[in-house]
Amino acid sequence: MGNKKTVGQRALFATKIGVIATTVGSAVGLGNIWRFPYEAGSNGGGAFMACYFMFIFIIGVPVICAEFIMGRGTRSNIFGAYRKLSPKGKWYVAGFMGILASVLILSFYSVVAGWILEYLIQSLTGSIKLADASANHVAFDEFSTSSFRPVIWTLSFLALNFLILINGVAKGIERMSNILMPMLFVLLVIFCINSLTLDKASEGLTFLFHPDFSKISPQVLLSAMGQAFFSLSLGLGCMTTYASYFGEGTKLGRTAMTTAILDTLVAILAGIIIFPAVFSFGFSPQAGPTLVFEVLPAVFNNLPGGVVWSSLFFLLLTLASLTSTISMSEISIAFMVEEWKLSRKVATIVNTLVAMFFGTLCALSFGVLSDVKIFGLTIFNLFDYASSNVLLPIGGMIASIFVGWVVDKRFVKSQMTGNGAYKSVLLPFVVFCLRYTAPAGIALVFLNSIGLI
Ligand code: PHE
């Protein structure tokens, strides 16, 4: 990375492709390939999908722009961005919420990434069982409920994340994302084609793309909204922190749109891979968080040279997970470095140790801690639900109200138009959504889900 640019003490992403690759790298991850299929499967398929699309474009895109504007405009972490833009206000409290969400997500996300590592090693050593539905179910259940291996993998994944992080922003992240994302994409397209040849492919596609609107319930709406936020890495200051490393020439509207489109495309591909297989091989779409780990081996089983495909896939998915965990770690690291004046190394150690502690609890909540329930949820499910369905949408609502109503309109305009150098077709739409549709939409979904309206 010879041409590393800096503003003050901060490193900037060196190239335009670096900006897209890293934001998309943050957005694309287990959220698309693990979480999206199981949420869609548990929430009525097509009905969920329709709500999800709507939330991505009328709430997601405007809120990404809001986070970009705050980050690039202040060159700060999420907490610092609120403070700089409103020195007397209490908006920065939302920054703390974002940091909390990032730690919760990093903890449970690393457990799933740990499962991926297990499957990667099993694929590489040839010990993975590529079999039918019930055998896959038993194999995964046995593994995930044990105490030792899931914890070791969670900790190993976090250690890997740590090693990449202490190498700095531009170097570590940019280099990896540039090659990785296109490769993953190609692999997904190949798997899609394979799934489309399965005998009950059309049933799977109908389930996913044919919305039965009578299935839309308050819970489906909340889950679809939570998934939109989670998948876009939105509502916790991740995009703010990344945008603080963007160059002045980066077009925010275009970057937001590209990120949303590519992220959604990857989720759709994952859906096209999973659901035809679910119906053809006799799985239940409602299996929950374990769905993908049961269905994918059956998909690979159907491909000639299955173990080669599964090795390649789990390897790329590990890297895709890393580009996401790097981005969520960056939220609290940037905060600790800039606000607490810790060295980057110490901040990274703190972030990793906290996640290792909570990650271990999450990993054990499928086995020995499965009886520990808070609000009726296991620790893993609580972390997932509290972050995706509560903290992120609230964070997004605050960011949209803040940028829509509180921040100076000229500042918003100048960020979106490169200080007037070019036009932003998205600007009027973004401002309108930030002021009205996003805050009102999020509030309605919340009130609806707790039964107030
Ligand atoms: N968007 C990431 C994914 O889909 C997860 C993520 C959430 C990353 C929040 C950063 C912040 O896998």
Side-chain angles (χ1 to χ4, degrees), residues 25-33 102 105 109 227 229-234 236 238 263 320-321 323-325 327-328 331 392:
S26 166
V28 171
L30 297 173
N32 310 62
I33 290 161
S102 77
I105 297 177
Y109 201 92
Q227 177 60 23
F229 274 94
F230 186 87
S231 196
L232 293 174
S233 310
L234 213 52
L236 70 172
C238 189
D263 186 68
S321 312
T323 54
S324 298
T325 50
S327 72
M328 59 187 95
I331 301 172
L392 303 191

Side-chain angles (χ1 to χ4, degrees), residues 15-25 246 254-256 258-259 262:
T15 57
K16 203 165 166 188
I17 184 81
V19 166
I20 296 286
T22 40
T23 11
V24 175
F246 286 179
R254 185 178 291 181
T255 309
T258 313
T259 307
L262 290 178

Side-chain angles (χ1 to χ4, degrees), residues 7-241:
V7 168
Q9 289 304 306
R10 311 181 106 245
L12 294 189
F13 289 130
T15 57
K16 203 165 166 188
I17 184 81
V19 166
I20 296 286
T22 40
T23 11
V24 175
S26 166
V28 171
L30 297 173
N32 310 62
I33 290 161
W34 158 74
R35 201 174 187 282
F36 170 77
Y38 98 66
E39 284 285 344
S42 308
N43 287 293
F48 175 88
M49 215 29 188
C51 302
Y52 174 68
F53 280 153
M54 178 184 77
F55 287 131
I56 289 277
F57 291 99
I58 64 164
I59 298 184
V61 171
V63 179
I64 305 184
C65 289
E67 288 207 11
F68 278 174
I69 291 167
M70 290 172 64
R72 213 248 318 258
T74 62
R75 299 235 169 267
S76 286
N77 65 83
I78 175 74
F79 175 86
Y82 276 117
R83 275 262 289 264
K84 279 192 190 165
L85 290 169
S86 169
K88 295 207 186 84
K90 290 269 181 284
W91 296 91
Y92 60 84
V93 175
F96 287 126
M97 257 174 45
I99 292 164
L100 172 68
S102 77
V103 175
L104 295 183
I105 297 177
L106 182 61
S107 307
F108 78 82
Y109 201 92
S110 301
V111 174
V112 184
W115 296 345
I116 302 279
L117 282 180
E118 163 83 15
Y119 272 51
L120 170 62
I121 302 297
Q122 284 191 15
S123 304
L124 291 173
T125 57
S127 64
I128 188 167
K129 288 193 194 63
L130 304 179
D132 58 24
S134 58
N136 292 348
H137 178 77
V138 172
F140 186 73
D141 199 53
E142 231 167 64
F143 157 68
S144 62
T145 54
S146 67
S147 295
F148 186 64
R149 290 170 78 92
V151 173
I152 294 298
W153 286 128
T154 304
L155 300 181
S156 310
F157 179 82
L158 282 165
L160 214 62
N161 186 53
F162 171 80
L163 288 178
I164 295 169
L165 277 166
I166 46 174
N167 280 324
V169 178
K171 262 191 295 162
I173 312 176
E174 205 169 307
R175 210 188 297 146
M176 262 184 22
S177 312
N178 284 350
I179 12 172
L180 155 81
M181 288 296 138
M183 267 176 78
L184 180 64
F185 195 78
V186 172
L187 209 64
L188 290 175
V189 172
I190 297 174
F191 294 163
C192 266
I193 298 172
N194 170 58
S195 281
L196 290 173
T197 64
L198 297 173
D199 34 312
K200 292 204 179 139
S202 63
E203 238 175 89
L205 295 181
T206 309
F207 176 77
L208 193 60
F209 293 112
H210 199 290
D212 171 358
F213 289 109
S214 69
K215 287 205 178 129
I216 297 182
S217 64
Q219 194 50 45
V220 169
L221 281 167
L222 182 65
S223 303
M225 185 170 79
Q227 177 60 23
F229 274 94
F230 186 87
S231 196
L232 293 174
S233 310
L234 213 52
L236 70 172
C238 189
M239 291 300 173
T240 305
T241 310

Side-chain angles (χ1 to χ4, degrees), residues 78 109 192 232 250 254 258 273 276 281-282 305 310 314 316 382 432:
I78 175 74
Y109 201 92
C192 266
L232 293 174
T250 302
R254 185 178 291 181
T258 313
I273 296 170
F281 300 134
S310 74
F314 287 122
L316 288 176
L382 177 74
F432 182 82

